[in-house]
Amino acid sequence: MTDKFLPQLSQNLLDILEDDEYYDITIEVGSDPYVKIFRAHMVILNYRSAYLRRMLSTNKKHLDGTLVHLKLPNILPEAFHVILRYIYGGRLSLEKYDISDIIEILVAADKLCLQELVIHLQSSLIENNTNWMEENLDLVYKTSFENISFLELQNYCTDLISKEPDKIFKSPNFPSVPEKLLISLIKNDNLQMDEVQIWEHVLKWGFARHPELPPDHTTLSKDELNVLKNTLRQCIPFIKFFNLSSREFSDKVLPYKKVLPKELKKELVNYFWDRNIESKSRVNKEVKPANQSESQTNKESQSESQEIQSVSQTNKESQLESQANQSESQTNKESQSESQANQSESQTNKESQSESQINQSEPQKNKESTPESQANQSEPQINKGSQLEYQANKEPQSELQTNGETSSRENKEIKSIIDSKIITNKHAELISGWIDRPSLFSWVYKSNYYGFKLLFRGSRDGFTPSNFHQICDNQISTVMIIKVKGSNEILGGYNPIAWNQDYSNGVTKDSFIFSFENKDNIENYILSRVKDETSAIKNSKYYAPSFGESDLLLSGYDYRYSFCKKGSYEKTIRNTEDTFSVEEFEVFKIIKD
């Protein structure tokens, strides 16, 4: 019943806004040449807007009667006029405004911390202006991701783009999309678009950034290639090159090989060459007699590898081409001194060992794998070192998560010497303290030294996401430890919730990431706790354990294209955003007594 008085109260407050006598503050809104002065009342602004309250706290009334004067140069006068009427009378009339004007009002409301209005305007845009939103998706998407509070718009855009990616990738305004926005697009694991198309769109975006570059890649000079390389540098880590077919890689990626980081280029060539050889070898085994002549086998092997022959046609001096040439020369049996791992890739050329050597190229672990892991046999299951190296590194099978037996080491007290090739008991004590969030002297904190039970080791279980997920999915309270190749640097992170591969973001307020610049100096560390708990953990079938949007991301074959870039955590744990390779990587389950 009492609500019937509110309309009149609202109108009276609007009349106060229009009054020319009792105002005590002026607000200069906009920037030259579009500037307008508004009159208002400090008491109303103070209680209606948290942003204006902060400004007023440093602009008190002057004792000499001079009016307080505020400046809002980043807000359009037209948008502020609508918002000021909302602040005074709680009224919002948008009928005479275009959708683009409403978006400006939304942005202004966010700057003034008017959360109630922000939520209302987002819902109004989504519910009442669907056609316009779809036609101007690039503008809406850009606006939503430039403002962290526009969650409804972000979810709307992400869902629409996942289902209909052409609406933005084929938009005439796509070339002007900011780099940060492009990265958010290609990071979307639910995007219904082939990876080769994503790569082509990223190239298109890169060329559009530099219209002076010739569109024909064969005419690009070394300096022009470096320009394109630097432009795409932040985007390339999020393109899943390993999902391409051999033909797509040969036709669409290799022509731009000089744009790729050197280490990634080598890994891609090795991966697609090996996958092609292994695939063809299995076909040969099924359809060829075991005693087929060597010359005929060589001819067919050469025909079968035409998909990626472009790898070995030019630039013999590069490691990329030399590796391809080495693989090709093995099919002709010109070298008998290659390692056992390389022999396993070319055994179709030998008369007597054709079938046995192909079988040996797959580790014993694959024989015991689940049907799901067998379906992923095209993905390398172990480090691409030799078979002998793998055998030497492999630990007793009883330690694997997939085996029901327990090693004698695990039967011992869990708090004995930690089973790690990377860290010591002192590191474990320190990490235990971080889990408990000690306030002081964390480096000597020992009251809750938790047990570290080894679940996964890359050199033992395989450096692939599928191997990690097979062993570690659904495990809670885990610590990941990484040894950076070619240095004494250690990186890691703690995840209190379960890992999975459902493309979701794990939500937690208790995760953290860390680094030791030198593993032998335990006091020199960086600890970074989660800041945006809604994206604390990155879950995807294509990644091993990864934290935040990009704070600690393992990427590339054998994780040789991994990086750390500040996103969801308080600070970066490395002094550089350059990529790094993983020498060893372990996952421990935290045992809390």
Side-chain angles (χ1 to χ4, degrees):
M1 291 290 292
T2 56
D3 288 350
K4 68 179 182 180
F5 301 117
L6 291 180
Q8 185 59 47
L9 174 61
S10 173
Q11 185 58 51
N12 291 151
L13 289 170
L14 288 173
D15 291 340
I16 293 175
L17 175 62
E18 301 298 331
D19 185 81
D20 292 335
E21 185 175 356
Y22 295 107
Y23 64 91
D24 56 5
I25 184 174
T26 56
I27 308 173
E28 182 180 324
V29 182
S31 56
D32 290 334
Y34 305 107
V35 178
K36 184 176 180 179
I37 304 297
F38 292 86
R39 298 167 178 173
H41 305 80
M42 295 178 66
V43 65
I44 293 179
L45 300 182
N46 181 72
Y47 284 97
R48 290 287 283 161
S49 168
Y51 179 83
L52 294 174
R53 184 182 310 125
R54 288 194 297 270
M55 292 190 71
L56 290 171
S57 66
T58 59
N59 290 271
K60 301 293 186 179
K61 284 186 177 182
H62 302 294
L63 296 178
D64 59 1
T66 305
L67 293 178
V68 174
H69 184 72
L70 301 181
K71 292 185 178 182
L72 299 175
N74 297 322
I75 296 179
L76 294 178
E78 294 81 1
F80 188 74
H81 174 75
V82 174
I83 289 175
L84 201 56
R85 290 182 61 82
Y86 161 78
I87 288 175
Y88 272 75
R91 294 185 183 182
L92 189 67
S93 179
L94 302 174
E95 290 78 10
K96 64 178 182 179
Y97 294 98
D98 294 334
I99 309 302
S100 57
D101 294 330
I102 297 177
I103 290 179
E104 289 292 344
I105 296 171
L106 172 63
V107 172
D110 180 60
K111 290 178 180 177
L112 295 172
C113 300
L114 301 171
Q115 192 60 27
E116 177 187 56
L117 185 55
V118 168
I119 294 173
H120 172 79
L121 289 172
Q122 287 182 90
S123 299
S124 177
L125 285 169
I126 294 171
E127 294 171 5
N128 303 322
N129 304 280
T130 303
N131 291 337
W132 187 95
M133 296 271 283
E134 292 186 9
E135 292 172 0
N136 298 273
L137 185 59
D138 49 350
L139 170 63
V140 178
Y141 192 70
K142 177 182 177 182
T143 302
S144 68
F145 278 86
E146 287 177 347
N147 299 270
I148 193 172
S149 60
F150 295 172
L151 294 179
E152 282 193 63
L153 280 183
Q154 290 177 16
N155 293 335
Y156 169 82
C157 292
T158 300
D159 183 62
L160 181 59
I161 292 172
S162 297
K163 297 174 181 177
E164 302 179 64
D166 285 348
K167 285 187 178 295
I168 192 164
F169 281 106
K170 292 187 176 181
S171 165
N173 296 322
F174 173 72
S176 63
V177 166
E179 178 186 71
K180 182 179 179 180
L181 185 58
L182 177 62
I183 291 175
S184 70
L185 286 170
I186 61 180
K187 282 171 60 177
N188 184 356
D189 289 327
N190 296 321
L191 199 63
Q192 296 181 17
M193 176 177 280
D194 292 338
E195 204 67 31
V196 68
Q197 293 178 297
I198 296 176
W199 167 241
E200 289 176 324
H201 285 302
V202 170
L203 280 174
K204 174 185 174 183
W205 177 85
F207 276 105
R209 289 276 166 161
H210 301 281
E212 72 278 6
L213 296 179
D216 183 0
H217 66 86
T218 61
T219 63
L220 290 171
S221 67
K222 181 178 179 180
D223 289 341
E224 289 170 335
L225 282 168
N226 284 334
V227 169
L228 186 60
K229 180 178 182 178
N230 290 332
T231 302
L232 303 182
R233 177 175 172 268
Q234 300 296 336
C235 300
I236 285 178
F238 300 101
I239 298 175
K240 302 180 181 67
F241 291 106
F242 296 94
N243 290 352
L244 301 177
S245 68
S246 296
R247 173 61 67 188
E248 289 170 340
F249 173 71
S250 178
D251 291 349
K252 303 297 184 181
V253 179
L254 273 181
Y256 296 95
K257 60 191 175 187
K258 293 184 179 179
V259 172
L260 303 176
K262 183 178 180 180
E263 193 67 24
L264 175 64
K265 179 173 60 179
K266 292 179 183 178
E267 290 303 317
L268 288 171
V269 170
N270 287 338
Y271 175 78
F272 285 104
W273 182 270
D274 292 347
R275 190 172 72 169
N276 186 66
I277 294 299
E278 290 171 4
S279 174
K280 301 307 180 182
S281 297
R282 285 194 289 269
V283 173
N284 290 341
K285 179 180 174 182
E286 294 174 1
V287 301
K288 296 181 185 298
N291 60 355
Q292 189 173 11
S293 68
E294 180 179 345
S295 61
Q296 182 178 352
T297 305
N298 287 338
K299 290 179 181 179
E300 296 194 6
S301 297
Q302 293 170 2
S303 173
E304 290 158 355
S305 62
Q306 286 178 353
E307 287 184 349
I308 55 174
Q309 278 184 343
S310 58
V311 177
S312 58
Q313 290 176 353
T314 58
N315 296 332
K316 292 183 179 180
E317 70 277 9
S318 71
Q319 181 65 22
L320 175 70
E321 311 303 343
S322 65
Q323 289 179 2
N325 287 333
Q326 288 171 9
S327 298
E328 186 173 1
S329 66
Q330 288 167 10
T331 63
N332 296 320
K333 296 187 63 180
E334 294 178 357
S335 171
Q336 298 296 327
S337 61
E338 296 296 322
S339 68
Q340 188 170 350
N342 288 336
Q343 289 175 4
S344 67
E345 296 177 356
S346 60
Q347 291 303 324
T348 56
N349 301 327
K350 295 188 177 182
E351 294 181 2
S352 61
Q353 297 182 1
S354 175
E355 295 186 15
S356 63
Q357 293 295 333
I358 291 175
N359 291 335
Q360 289 175 9
S361 67
E362 299 183 2
Q364 182 68 23
K365 182 175 182 293
N366 287 348
K367 295 180 181 180
E368 300 174 4
S369 63
T370 62
E372 177 183 352
S373 65
Q374 292 173 0
N376 293 326
Q377 284 181 359
S378 63
E379 187 173 312
Q381 296 298 311
I382 61 171
N383 195 337
K384 295 179 68 176
S386 67
Q387 178 74 8
L388 290 175
E389 181 181 351
Y390 173 77
Q391 296 276 356
N393 288 336
K394 188 169 68 172
E395 298 189 8
Q397 187 69 22
S398 60
E399 291 186 13
L400 290 177
Q401 178 71 15
T402 52
N403 195 312
E405 298 180 4
T406 304
S407 68
S408 58
R409 179 186 299 165
E410 290 177 346
N411 283 331
K412 297 179 182 179
E413 172 63 32
I414 193 66
K415 293 181 182 178
S416 61
I417 298 175
I418 187 171
D419 181 13
S420 174
K421 292 185 176 182
I422 307 175
I423 63 172
T424 66
N425 272 27
K426 290 184 178 180
H427 294 95
E429 289 182 25
L430 182 55
I431 295 169
S432 296
W434 293 338
I435 293 173
D436 280 339
R437 291 178 178 265
S439 57
L440 294 172
F441 308 114
S442 62
W443 72 277
V444 295
Y445 188 85
K446 300 181 180 179
S447 61
N448 281 319
Y449 173 26
Y450 296 126
F452 281 60
K453 179 180 178 181
L454 180 67
L455 295 179
F456 181 90
R457 175 174 287 145
S459 61
R460 181 189 73 184
D461 302 322
F463 283 92
T464 65
S466 60
N467 288 0
F468 163 76
H469 287 295
Q470 179 183 344
I471 293 174
C472 298
D473 272 5
N474 301 315
Q475 295 283 354
I476 62 172
S477 296
T478 56
V479 169
M480 174 183 69
I481 306 292
I482 298 166
K483 171 66 168 59
V484 176
K485 188 174 182 179
S487 74
N488 282 327
E489 186 179 8
I490 295 176
L491 308 175
Y494 169 66
N495 177 18
I497 59 179
W499 295 105
N500 61 66
Q501 47 185 312
D502 63 357
Y503 306 108
S504 66
N505 284 338
V507 179
T508 175
K509 68 180 187 303
D510 296 320
S511 63
F512 57 81
I513 54 178
F514 56 87
S515 66
F516 295 92
E517 186 174 2
N518 187 329
K519 67 177 183 179
D520 298 324
N521 184 359
I522 193 172
E523 297 182 34
N524 186 14
Y525 64 82
I526 297 176
L527 172 64
S528 179
R529 296 192 180 275
V530 65
K531 178 178 64 175
D532 181 6
E533 59 189 67
T534 62
S535 57
I537 304 298
K538 179 76 171 180
N539 289 312
S540 170
K541 67 183 294 185
Y542 299 109
Y543 298 116
S546 297
F547 292 79
E549 290 300 325
S550 55
D551 299 82
L552 178 52
L553 187 66
L554 301 188
S555 179
Y557 177 66
D558 279 2
Y559 311 122
R560 296 185 183 181
Y561 197 56
S562 305
F563 63 95
C564 298
K565 183 177 180 182
K566 187 176 182 299
S568 306
Y569 285 73
E570 293 174 342
K571 53 190 172 185
T572 182
I573 57 173
R574 301 191 80 214
N575 295 326
T576 176
E577 294 181 359
D578 292 344
T579 58
F580 63 87
S581 298
V582 175
E583 179 178 315
E584 183 62 281
F585 141 48
E586 298 172 333
V587 179
F588 297 90
K589 182 174 181 62
I590 298 301
I591 307 299
K592 299 184 178 181
D593 294 339

